[in-house]
């Protein structure tokens, strides 16, 4: 029996060995070369339908076990994939053809498409696959760091964010600097939306197939009057032509506050209050002598709700921990697509529910879109899309940020008070005598409500008529409707917010439509001359209507803003309406000689109802040239340079984004009281300026594109200069004129810059690859001329000839006066311990004449360093963002550091001046009515350069053997951490900040919403 068993085991071993030998086949040797005959290393060689894979060595050689019936697959980045059947060969030699997929990629340009290799202008592209690597709630956030020259600042960490996009710097002083957004050919209206929102915020980023950013005049001039700030073109996903598909892409995330700011605890706050009282005698001896102006704080700590019998605090509340939370977000994307070569259709659905990390903030969005494309006849194709979005935002960070806001109270609420007392009543700063007041942040969030409810509809229809093989006519009609309703309620008793209870409802409706028709002619002559000519006409109309209803005197919170009639006092309602129209004629000619020498001429005539009759129309031309050097005969017998192209362009674009009717005099209503009753009158409220004309931007651009080693290394360099003339400004008028301001054309400004992008395939091994993207954009902004040469002041910034716009303006902070400088300090009516400012004009007086430029919000440069590692089915993406040369003016220091003893303060006040600590920038602590000093000064300006870990993503694609068993075509899971670190000298929550809606108020910090660190998991499922 044992002998039989042994023979059976031996037989199994022999059968297994023979089977293994049969599977392994014989040794096949080979070499892989390129088109010129040079060996290629790192080529992946795989036997089809098996896991057997090898890679070529430095001489392009490989060895693999295979049988005659096996098929070898050869693949390498930069080359077309190749299949070879082995047959009876023992040695296999193949040649791979260079793949110019990146160069042959079709990109969308205004009113058409082009191969990337044929572009003469500067155009950046982002595809859906790249956006998928960093899931976001808006297009703005997804675009960040993707394209050189495009600076996306996420200025708020609230749900949805509040991004600021600038393409090659700012180009206007007081009108819009936002780019033009074009979605599937429909131009979006960007002006007037509430609380810093833009139309692009309401586009579901999961619906995007590609984004093209037109940067230079050659590419933007086709949009003429509105192309000065650059153009962002979005193409959304369409139906499929290869049968039905279902995709479901959910993601779930947790957001947390990455840092807390150091503020005083209860013990420190009370100690600072006592120090301030003790120093009152030094800085206000007259007031101190009265014996009544200043009160010893220890004598008022008698409230049993806050202190024990010895005057010790009962509470030590950390308001940041009370107000910040772990915020859960869920996002679901579902799509259905189908079609064939004759037509296709698709339906796309989205639900997003994002909780903010700050208590009381939330965003909820429902979105749907339907698309279709159909070949009705061989000469007629029609299609269209219709999208709807319903989005509700509960916001706690209104633009401006001044007054009592929830975020401000997070920093300034007293640590000695609780959220609520034992009886359930709210605690407040006013519960402790002598405080500035203001309720605690949780109450402010619960009882001061601000809802922004937005519904958008975006639709278009097109018809393509082929008139001949070379001539095509396209007609499109599109519309964009935005309804925004702002619901506001503040309960009675909120100090400095609402004494009697306030409510209001504000309705805004924006409606725009456009109708465009154009012809496109394409023809090649003698195989060497290629023409692509386009000409068309466009009409667009935009109108807006707003009405506001308000009421006061709510004794109860039940109705909130839902019943304004419940308020005891109805305030005067208001409303307004405006509209404008544009009529345009445009054309473009592309010419190519031997597909190597490329010329583009573009022209657009725009007419706008915003300007006077004499200046209503303007012409915006451009010209560009490109030379594909790598296609020349003298470049053929070399393997180093695979792509080399030089391009240059020059052209003009415009900016008309001023309010309507500004060339005309305007009427206003006035009211006065006669005999105790209100009388209303109408009169001229605005001066006319019939000479008002277009703001024009002229731009020159030179670019170089280089690809090396079959494009394993690719580089793109752009140099540009943009000069803006006849800048539009709402210029102030002297009071004696009877008017406050008038829109006029004043001065000029320029932006000069360099953009550089580098993409490399560092390693391409058997199952491993490593790719890197590095980009940097450097821009210098300068005001060249202003009408009359006078400075223009805007809040804390100044516009001055020879300086960048948005420069911070204030006093030069030199520290504090020391005891050794007592006599010098007296000359300025100061004492040791007071703030020391630079006497700029040396007149012995510190006043506004001593203000100077103390910083700039515009960065010197910004960029991205992105690495992607792939091992088999795994991929790891490490995305870093950097910015340098920019500053932040932190205006919260005014109330949270300069003033002590009336609200909580930053912990930095513990470093205030004392007899033993005189080398400090912080003045000696004192009561606020003891001649404290606070100004916009250089101490409040911080270097805000930073390096940010923008995204860390790990993904796994399940093999077909698993996904097919689950009846799936695609299955991918991923996890990511966004904003995983920030290295900066800025002491606030985040160096990317702006809490103002003014054109140049980037970098103005004032109680800003922290940017969260987001931990996300998601899955991509395809059926």
């Amino acid at each position: 029996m044992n002998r039989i068993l042994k023979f059976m085991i031996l037989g199994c071993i022999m059968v297994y060995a023979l089977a293994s030998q049969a599977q392994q086949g014989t040794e096949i040797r080979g070499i892989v070369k390129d088109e010129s005959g040079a060996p290629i290393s790192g080529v992946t060689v795989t036997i089809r339908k098996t896991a057997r894979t090898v890679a070529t060595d430095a001489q392009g050689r490989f060895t693999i076990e295979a049988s005659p019936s096996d098929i070898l697959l050869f693949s390498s980045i930069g080359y077309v994939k190749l299949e070879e059947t082995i047959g009876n060969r023992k040695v296999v030699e193949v040649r791979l053809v260079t793949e110019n997929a990146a160069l042959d990629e079709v990109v969308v340009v205004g009113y058409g498409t082009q191969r990337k290799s044929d572009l003469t202008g500067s155009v950046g592209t982002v595809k859906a696959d790249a956006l998928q690597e960093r899931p976001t709630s808006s297009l703005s956030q997804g675009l960040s760091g993707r394209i050189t020259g495009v600076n996306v600042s996420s200025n708020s960490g609230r749900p949805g964010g509040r991004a600021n996009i600038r393409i090659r710097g700012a180009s206007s002083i007081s009108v819009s600097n936002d780019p033009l957004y074009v979605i599937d050919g429909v131009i979006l209206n960007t002006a007037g939306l509430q609380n810093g929102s833009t139309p692009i915020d309401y586009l579901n980023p999961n619906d995007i197939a590609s984004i093209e950013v037109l940067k230079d005049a050659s590419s933007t001039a086709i949009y003429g009057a509105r192309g000065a700030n650059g153009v962002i073109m979005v193409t959304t996903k369409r139906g499929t032509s290869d049968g039905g598909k279902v995709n479901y892409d959910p993601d779930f995330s947790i957001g947390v506050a990455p840092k807390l700011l150091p503020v005083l605890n209860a013990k420190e706050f009370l100690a600072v209050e006592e120090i301030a009282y003790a120093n009152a005698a030094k800085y206000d001896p007259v007031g101190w002598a009265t014996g009544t102006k200043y009160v010893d704080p220890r004598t008022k700590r008698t409230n049993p709700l806050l202190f024990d019998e010895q005057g010790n605090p009962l509470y030590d509340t950390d308001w940041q921990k009370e107000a910040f939370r772990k915020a859960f977000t869920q996002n679901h994307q579902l799509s259905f697509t189908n079609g064939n070569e004759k037509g296709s259709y698709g339906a796309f659905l989205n639900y997003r529910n994002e909780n903010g990390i700050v208590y009381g903030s939330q965003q909820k969005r429902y979105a749907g879109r339907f698309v279709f494309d159909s070949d009705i006849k061989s000469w007629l194709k029609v299609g269209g899309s219709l999208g709807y979005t319903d989005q509700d935002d509960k916001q706690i960070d209104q633009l401006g940020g001044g007054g009592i806001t929830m975020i401000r109270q997070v920093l300034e609420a007293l640590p000695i008070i609780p959220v609520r007392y034992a009886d359930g009543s709210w605690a407040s700063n006013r519960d402790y005598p002598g405080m500035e007041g203001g309720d605690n942040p949780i109450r402010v969030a619960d009882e001061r409500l601000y809802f922004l409810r937005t519904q958008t509809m975006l639709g278009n229809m097109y018809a393509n008529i082929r008139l001949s093989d070379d001539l095509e006519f396209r007609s499109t009609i599109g519309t964009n409707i935005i309804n925004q309703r702002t619901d506001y309620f503040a309960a009675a008793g909120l100090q400095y917010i609402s004494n009697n209870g306030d409510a209001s409802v504000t309705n805004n409706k924006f409606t725009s439509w456009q109708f465009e028709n154009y012809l496109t002619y394409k023809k090649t002559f003698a195989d060497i001359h290629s023409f692509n000519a386009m000409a068309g006409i466009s009409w667009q109309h935009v109108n807006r209507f707003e009405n506001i209803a308000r009421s006061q005197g709510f004794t109860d919170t039940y109705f909130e803003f839902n019943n304004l009639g419940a308020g005891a006092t109805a305030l005067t309602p208001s409303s307004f309406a405006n509209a404008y129209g544009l009529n345009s004629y445009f054309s473009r000619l592309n010419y190519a000689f031997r597909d190597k020498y490329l010329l583009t001429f573009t022209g657009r005539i725009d007419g706008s109802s915003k300007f006077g009759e004499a200046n209503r129309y303007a012409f915006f031309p451009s010209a560009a040239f490109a030379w594909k050097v790598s296609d020349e005969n003298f470049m053929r017998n070399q393997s180093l340079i695979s792509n080399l192209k030089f391009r240059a362009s020059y052209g003009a674009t415009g900016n008309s984004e001023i309010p309507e009717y500004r060339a005309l005099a305007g009427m206003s209503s006035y009211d006065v009281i006669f005999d105790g009753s209100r009388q209303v009158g109408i009169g001229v409220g605005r001066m006319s300026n019939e000479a008002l004309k277009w703001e024009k931007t002229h731009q020159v651009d030179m670019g170089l594109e280089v690809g090396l080693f079959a494009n394993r290394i690719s580089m793109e360099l752009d140099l540009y200069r943009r000069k803006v003339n006849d800048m539009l400004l709402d210029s102030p008028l002297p009071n004696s004129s009877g008017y406050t301001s008038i829109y006029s054309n004043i001065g000029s400004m320029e932006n000069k810059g360099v953009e550089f992008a580098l993409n490399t395939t560092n390693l391409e091994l058997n199952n491993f690859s490593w790719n890197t993207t590095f980009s940097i954009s450097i821009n210098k902004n300068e005001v060249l001329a202003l009408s009359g040469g006078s400075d223009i002041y805007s809040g804390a910034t100044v516009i001055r000839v020879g300086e960048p716009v948005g420069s911070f303006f204030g006093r030069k902070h030199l520290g504090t006066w020391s005891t050794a400088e007592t006599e010098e300090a007296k000359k300025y009516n100061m004492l040791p311990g007071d703030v020391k400012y630079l006497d700029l004009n040396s007149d012995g007086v510190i006043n506004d004449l001593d203000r100077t430029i103390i910083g700039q919000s515009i960065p010197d440069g910004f960029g991205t360093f992105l690495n992607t590692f792939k091992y088999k089915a795994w991929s790891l993406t490490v995305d870093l963002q950097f910015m340098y040369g920019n500053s932040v003016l932190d205006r919260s220091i005014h109330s949270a550091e300069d003033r002590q003893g009336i609200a909580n303060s930053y912990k930095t006040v513990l470093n205030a001046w004392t007899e033993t600590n005189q080398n400090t920038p912080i003045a000696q602590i004192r009561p606020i009515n003891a001649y404290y000093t606070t100004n916009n000064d250089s101490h409040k300006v911080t270097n805000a350069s930073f390096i940010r870990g923008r995204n860390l993503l790990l993904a796994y694609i399940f093999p077909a053997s698993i996904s097919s068993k689950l009846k799936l075509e695609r299955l991918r899971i991923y996890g990511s951490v966004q904003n995983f670190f920030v290295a900066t000298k800025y002491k606030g929550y985040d160096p990317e900040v702006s809490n103002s809606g003014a054109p140049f108020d980037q970098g103005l910090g004032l109680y800003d919403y922290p940017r969260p660190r987001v931990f996300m998991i998601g899955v991509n499922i395809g059926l």
Side-chain angles (χ1 to χ4, degrees), residues 168 170-171 721-724 727 748-752 779-785 803-804:
R168 292 186 168 179
S171 63
R721 179 177 183 264
R722 302 170 64 206
K723 184 180 179 183
V724 188
M727 290 189 297
S748 63
M749 177 173 61
E750 76 168 5
N751 288 276
K752 294 185 293 186
N779 182 78
K780 181 181 180 182
N781 175 275
E782 182 181 354
V783 178
L784 300 179
E803 300 291 344

PDB file of all heavy atoms in Angstrom, residues 168 170-171 721-724 727 748-752 779-785 803-804:
ATOM      1  N   ARG A 168      -2.608  85.223 -14.423  1.00  0.00           N
ATOM      2  CA  ARG A 168      -1.515  86.149 -14.743  1.00  0.00           C
ATOM      3  C   ARG A 168      -1.717  87.510 -14.082  1.00  0.00           C
ATOM      4  O   ARG A 168      -1.518  88.552 -14.701  1.00  0.00           O
ATOM      5  CB  ARG A 168      -1.367  86.286 -16.254  1.00  0.00           C
ATOM      6  CG  ARG A 168      -0.872  85.008 -16.919  1.00  0.00           C
ATOM      7  CD  ARG A 168      -0.574  85.172 -18.401  1.00  0.00           C
ATOM      8  NE  ARG A 168       0.161  84.003 -18.901  1.00  0.00           N
ATOM      9  CZ  ARG A 168       0.548  83.847 -20.157  1.00  0.00           C
ATOM     10  NH1 ARG A 168       0.285  84.786 -21.053  1.00  0.00           N
ATOM     11  NH2 ARG A 168       1.207  82.765 -20.527  1.00  0.00           N
ATOM     12  N   ALA A 170      -3.551  90.598 -11.499  1.00  0.00           N
ATOM     13  CA  ALA A 170      -4.722  91.473 -11.571  1.00  0.00           C
ATOM     14  C   ALA A 170      -4.587  92.408 -12.758  1.00  0.00           C
ATOM     15  O   ALA A 170      -3.494  92.872 -13.077  1.00  0.00           O
ATOM     16  CB  ALA A 170      -4.856  92.275 -10.280  1.00  0.00           C
ATOM     17  N   SER A 171      -5.701  92.689 -13.403  1.00  0.00           N
ATOM     18  CA  SER A 171      -5.640  93.527 -14.598  1.00  0.00           C
ATOM     19  C   SER A 171      -6.518  94.756 -14.509  1.00  0.00           C
ATOM     20  O   SER A 171      -6.605  95.523 -15.458  1.00  0.00           O
ATOM     21  CB  SER A 171      -6.052  92.706 -15.834  1.00  0.00           C
ATOM     22  OG  SER A 171      -7.385  92.271 -15.721  1.00  0.00           O
ATOM     23  N   ARG A 721       4.012  89.804 -21.030  1.00  0.00           N
ATOM     24  CA  ARG A 721       3.835  91.164 -20.509  1.00  0.00           C
ATOM     25  C   ARG A 721       2.427  91.614 -20.866  1.00  0.00           C
ATOM     26  O   ARG A 721       2.034  91.594 -22.028  1.00  0.00           O
ATOM     27  CB  ARG A 721       4.855  92.146 -21.110  1.00  0.00           C
ATOM     28  CG  ARG A 721       4.696  93.577 -20.609  1.00  0.00           C
ATOM     29  CD  ARG A 721       5.777  94.477 -21.191  1.00  0.00           C
ATOM     30  NE  ARG A 721       5.699  95.843 -20.665  1.00  0.00           N
ATOM     31  CZ  ARG A 721       5.082  96.843 -21.279  1.00  0.00           C
ATOM     32  NH1 ARG A 721       4.471  96.637 -22.453  1.00  0.00           N
ATOM     33  NH2 ARG A 721       5.071  98.049 -20.762  1.00  0.00           N
ATOM     34  N   ARG A 722       1.685  92.000 -19.856  1.00  0.00           N
ATOM     35  CA  ARG A 722       0.310  92.487 -20.039  1.00  0.00           C
ATOM     36  C   ARG A 722       0.250  93.944 -19.586  1.00  0.00           C
ATOM     37  O   ARG A 722       0.594  94.250 -18.438  1.00  0.00           O
ATOM     38  CB  ARG A 722      -0.690  91.684 -19.212  1.00  0.00           C
ATOM     39  CG  ARG A 722      -0.722  90.216 -19.473  1.00  0.00           C
ATOM     40  CD  ARG A 722      -1.566  89.504 -18.424  1.00  0.00           C
ATOM     41  NE  ARG A 722      -2.964  89.910 -18.471  1.00  0.00           N
ATOM     42  CZ  ARG A 722      -3.785  89.862 -17.431  1.00  0.00           C
ATOM     43  NH1 ARG A 722      -3.346  89.478 -16.254  1.00  0.00           N
ATOM     44  NH2 ARG A 722      -5.043  90.207 -17.552  1.00  0.00           N
ATOM     45  N   LYS A 723      -0.195  94.805 -20.466  1.00  0.00           N
ATOM     46  CA  LYS A 723      -0.337  96.205 -20.111  1.00  0.00           C
ATOM     47  C   LYS A 723      -1.801  96.623 -20.270  1.00  0.00           C
ATOM     48  O   LYS A 723      -2.403  96.402 -21.321  1.00  0.00           O
ATOM     49  CB  LYS A 723       0.548  97.094 -20.985  1.00  0.00           C
ATOM     50  CG  LYS A 723       0.499  98.564 -20.586  1.00  0.00           C
ATOM     51  CD  LYS A 723       1.387  99.431 -21.462  1.00  0.00           C
ATOM     52  CE  LYS A 723       1.307 100.894 -21.049  1.00  0.00           C
ATOM     53  NZ  LYS A 723       2.106 101.763 -21.946  1.00  0.00           N
ATOM     54  N   VAL A 724      -2.330  97.208 -19.219  1.00  0.00           N
ATOM     55  CA  VAL A 724      -3.726  97.646 -19.208  1.00  0.00           C
ATOM     56  C   VAL A 724      -3.754  99.159 -19.372  1.00  0.00           C
ATOM     57  O   VAL A 724      -3.083  99.889 -18.625  1.00  0.00           O
ATOM     58  CB  VAL A 724      -4.429  97.259 -17.894  1.00  0.00           C
ATOM     59  CG1 VAL A 724      -5.920  97.553 -17.982  1.00  0.00           C
ATOM     60  CG2 VAL A 724      -4.193  95.792 -17.569  1.00  0.00           C
ATOM     61  N   MET A 727      -7.758 102.242 -17.588  1.00  0.00           N
ATOM     62  CA  MET A 727      -8.369 101.485 -16.500  1.00  0.00           C
ATOM     63  C   MET A 727      -9.639 102.172 -16.011  1.00  0.00           C
ATOM     64  O   MET A 727      -9.684 103.394 -15.856  1.00  0.00           O
ATOM     65  CB  MET A 727      -7.387 101.334 -15.337  1.00  0.00           C
ATOM     66  CG  MET A 727      -6.229 100.405 -15.628  1.00  0.00           C
ATOM     67  SD  MET A 727      -5.232 100.049 -14.170  1.00  0.00           S
ATOM     68  CE  MET A 727      -4.605 101.673 -13.773  1.00  0.00           C
ATOM     69  N   SER A 748      -2.765 103.367 -16.148  1.00  0.00           N
ATOM     70  CA  SER A 748      -2.397 102.091 -16.749  1.00  0.00           C
ATOM     71  C   SER A 748      -1.634 101.244 -15.737  1.00  0.00           C
ATOM     72  O   SER A 748      -1.118 101.760 -14.730  1.00  0.00           O
ATOM     73  CB  SER A 748      -1.557 102.301 -18.013  1.00  0.00           C
ATOM     74  OG  SER A 748      -0.336 102.944 -17.695  1.00  0.00           O
ATOM     75  N   MET A 749      -1.550  99.954 -16.039  1.00  0.00           N
ATOM     76  CA  MET A 749      -0.920  98.993 -15.131  1.00  0.00           C
ATOM     77  C   MET A 749      -0.359  97.862 -15.972  1.00  0.00           C
ATOM     78  O   MET A 749      -0.850  97.587 -17.074  1.00  0.00           O
ATOM     79  CB  MET A 749      -1.965  98.474 -14.135  1.00  0.00           C
ATOM     80  CG  MET A 749      -1.481  97.412 -13.174  1.00  0.00           C
ATOM     81  SD  MET A 749      -2.733  97.032 -11.911  1.00  0.00           S
ATOM     82  CE  MET A 749      -4.087  96.453 -12.912  1.00  0.00           C
ATOM     83  N   GLU A 750       0.664  97.184 -15.455  1.00  0.00           N
ATOM     84  CA  GLU A 750       1.214  96.057 -16.197  1.00  0.00           C
ATOM     85  C   GLU A 750       1.508  94.888 -15.277  1.00  0.00           C
ATOM     86  O   GLU A 750       1.730  95.036 -14.073  1.00  0.00           O
ATOM     87  CB  GLU A 750       2.483  96.457 -16.946  1.00  0.00           C
ATOM     88  CG  GLU A 750       3.725  96.586 -16.095  1.00  0.00           C
ATOM     89  CD  GLU A 750       5.010  96.704 -16.931  1.00  0.00           C
ATOM     90  OE1 GLU A 750       4.907  96.772 -18.172  1.00  0.00           O
ATOM     91  OE2 GLU A 750       6.096  96.735 -16.332  1.00  0.00           O
ATOM     92  N   ASN A 751       1.493  93.709 -15.884  1.00  0.00           N
ATOM     93  CA  ASN A 751       1.948  92.479 -15.252  1.00  0.00           C
ATOM     94  C   ASN A 751       3.006  91.858 -16.152  1.00  0.00           C
ATOM     95  O   ASN A 751       2.793  91.716 -17.365  1.00  0.00           O
ATOM     96  CB  ASN A 751       0.792  91.492 -15.071  1.00  0.00           C
ATOM     97  CG  ASN A 751      -0.177  91.920 -13.995  1.00  0.00           C
ATOM     98  OD1 ASN A 751       0.033  91.666 -12.816  1.00  0.00           O
ATOM     99  ND2 ASN A 751      -1.255  92.580 -14.401  1.00  0.00           N
ATOM    100  N   LYS A 752       4.137  91.509 -15.582  1.00  0.00           N
ATOM    101  CA  LYS A 752       5.194  90.810 -16.304  1.00  0.00           C
ATOM    102  C   LYS A 752       5.475  89.514 -15.564  1.00  0.00           C
ATOM    103  O   LYS A 752       5.549  89.510 -14.330  1.00  0.00           O
ATOM    104  CB  LYS A 752       6.462  91.659 -16.392  1.00  0.00           C
ATOM    105  CG  LYS A 752       6.310  92.921 -17.222  1.00  0.00           C
ATOM    106  CD  LYS A 752       7.632  93.653 -17.383  1.00  0.00           C
ATOM    107  CE  LYS A 752       8.137  94.212 -16.066  1.00  0.00           C
ATOM    108  NZ  LYS A 752       9.352  95.060 -16.245  1.00  0.00           N
ATOM    109  N   ASN A 779       5.103  86.452 -11.138  1.00  0.00           N
ATOM    110  CA  ASN A 779       4.413  87.597 -11.722  1.00  0.00           C
ATOM    111  C   ASN A 779       4.778  88.868 -10.950  1.00  0.00           C
ATOM    112  O   ASN A 779       4.784  88.872  -9.719  1.00  0.00           O
ATOM    113  CB  ASN A 779       2.896  87.398 -11.680  1.00  0.00           C
ATOM    114  CG  ASN A 779       2.140  88.546 -12.325  1.00  0.00           C
ATOM    115  OD1 ASN A 779       2.059  88.640 -13.550  1.00  0.00           O
ATOM    116  ND2 ASN A 779       1.585  89.437 -11.506  1.00  0.00           N
ATOM    117  N   LYS A 780       5.085  89.920 -11.687  1.00  0.00           N
ATOM    118  CA  LYS A 780       5.359  91.220 -11.085  1.00  0.00           C
ATOM    119  C   LYS A 780       4.324  92.209 -11.575  1.00  0.00           C
ATOM    120  O   LYS A 780       4.183  92.443 -12.773  1.00  0.00           O
ATOM    121  CB  LYS A 780       6.765  91.722 -11.425  1.00  0.00           C
ATOM    122  CG  LYS A 780       7.082  93.077 -10.791  1.00  0.00           C
ATOM    123  CD  LYS A 780       8.467  93.572 -11.168  1.00  0.00           C
ATOM    124  CE  LYS A 780       8.758  94.928 -10.529  1.00  0.00           C
ATOM    125  NZ  LYS A 780      10.080  95.457 -10.920  1.00  0.00           N
ATOM    126  N   ASN A 781       3.615  92.803 -10.641  1.00  0.00           N
ATOM    127  CA  ASN A 781       2.573  93.780 -10.957  1.00  0.00           C
ATOM    128  C   ASN A 781       3.061  95.181 -10.620  1.00  0.00           C
ATOM    129  O   ASN A 781       3.733  95.387  -9.605  1.00  0.00           O
ATOM    130  CB  ASN A 781       1.300  93.459 -10.161  1.00  0.00           C
ATOM    131  CG  ASN A 781       0.216  94.499 -10.337  1.00  0.00           C
ATOM    132  OD1 ASN A 781       0.188  95.511  -9.655  1.00  0.00           O
ATOM    133  ND2 ASN A 781      -0.694  94.234 -11.262  1.00  0.00           N
ATOM    134  N   GLU A 782       2.731  96.146 -11.470  1.00  0.00           N
ATOM    135  CA  GLU A 782       3.135  97.528 -11.225  1.00  0.00           C
ATOM    136  C   GLU A 782       2.113  98.487 -11.826  1.00  0.00           C
ATOM    137  O   GLU A 782       1.686  98.321 -12.978  1.00  0.00           O
ATOM    138  CB  GLU A 782       4.507  97.802 -11.824  1.00  0.00           C
ATOM    139  CG  GLU A 782       5.021  99.215 -11.557  1.00  0.00           C
ATOM    140  CD  GLU A 782       6.384  99.467 -12.187  1.00  0.00           C
ATOM    141  OE1 GLU A 782       6.975  98.525 -12.737  1.00  0.00           O
ATOM    142  OE2 GLU A 782       6.847 100.627 -12.143  1.00  0.00           O
ATOM    143  N   VAL A 783       1.732  99.482 -11.035  1.00  0.00           N
ATOM    144  CA  VAL A 783       0.884 100.562 -11.536  1.00  0.00           C
ATOM    145  C   VAL A 783       1.787 101.541 -12.279  1.00  0.00           C
ATOM    146  O   VAL A 783       2.742 102.072 -11.712  1.00  0.00           O
ATOM    147  CB  VAL A 783       0.142 101.263 -10.385  1.00  0.00           C
ATOM    148  CG1 VAL A 783      -0.697 102.424 -10.923  1.00  0.00           C
ATOM    149  CG2 VAL A 783      -0.752 100.267  -9.649  1.00  0.00           C
ATOM    150  N   LEU A 784       1.498 101.783 -13.551  1.00  0.00           N
ATOM    151  CA  LEU A 784       2.354 102.643 -14.376  1.00  0.00           C
ATOM    152  C   LEU A 784       1.939 104.104 -14.345  1.00  0.00           C
ATOM    153  O   LEU A 784       2.786 104.999 -14.412  1.00  0.00           O
ATOM    154  CB  LEU A 784       2.343 102.140 -15.826  1.00  0.00           C
ATOM    155  CG  LEU A 784       2.846 100.715 -16.049  1.00  0.00           C
ATOM    156  CD1 LEU A 784       2.740 100.355 -17.528  1.00  0.00           C
ATOM    157  CD2 LEU A 784       4.276 100.557 -15.558  1.00  0.00           C
ATOM    158  N   ALA A 785       0.652 104.360 -14.287  1.00  0.00           N
ATOM    159  CA  ALA A 785       0.191 105.752 -14.323  1.00  0.00           C
ATOM    160  C   ALA A 785      -1.200 105.834 -13.726  1.00  0.00           C
ATOM    161  O   ALA A 785      -2.002 104.894 -13.833  1.00  0.00           O
ATOM    162  CB  ALA A 785       0.176 106.282 -15.756  1.00  0.00           C
ATOM    163  N   GLU A 803       4.192 100.937  -7.759  1.00  0.00           N
ATOM    164  CA  GLU A 803       4.022  99.882  -6.769  1.00  0.00           C
ATOM    165  C   GLU A 803       2.965  98.888  -7.266  1.00  0.00           C
ATOM    166  O   GLU A 803       2.139  99.212  -8.116  1.00  0.00           O
ATOM    167  CB  GLU A 803       3.582 100.474  -5.421  1.00  0.00           C
ATOM    168  CG  GLU A 803       4.557 101.463  -4.820  1.00  0.00           C
ATOM    169  CD  GLU A 803       5.848 100.823  -4.351  1.00  0.00           C
ATOM    170  OE1 GLU A 803       5.889  99.581  -4.216  1.00  0.00           O
ATOM    171  OE2 GLU A 803       6.828 101.560  -4.135  1.00  0.00           O
ATOM    172  N   PRO A 804       2.968  97.669  -6.711  1.00  0.00           N
ATOM    173  CA  PRO A 804       1.904  96.715  -7.068  1.00  0.00           C
ATOM    174  C   PRO A 804       0.572  97.135  -6.458  1.00  0.00           C
ATOM    175  O   PRO A 804       0.540  97.778  -5.395  1.00  0.00           O
ATOM    176  CB  PRO A 804       2.398  95.396  -6.478  1.00  0.00           C
ATOM    177  CG  PRO A 804       3.354  95.778  -5.398  1.00  0.00           C
ATOM    178  CD  PRO A 804       3.985  97.062  -5.829  1.00  0.00           C
TER     179      PRO A 804
END
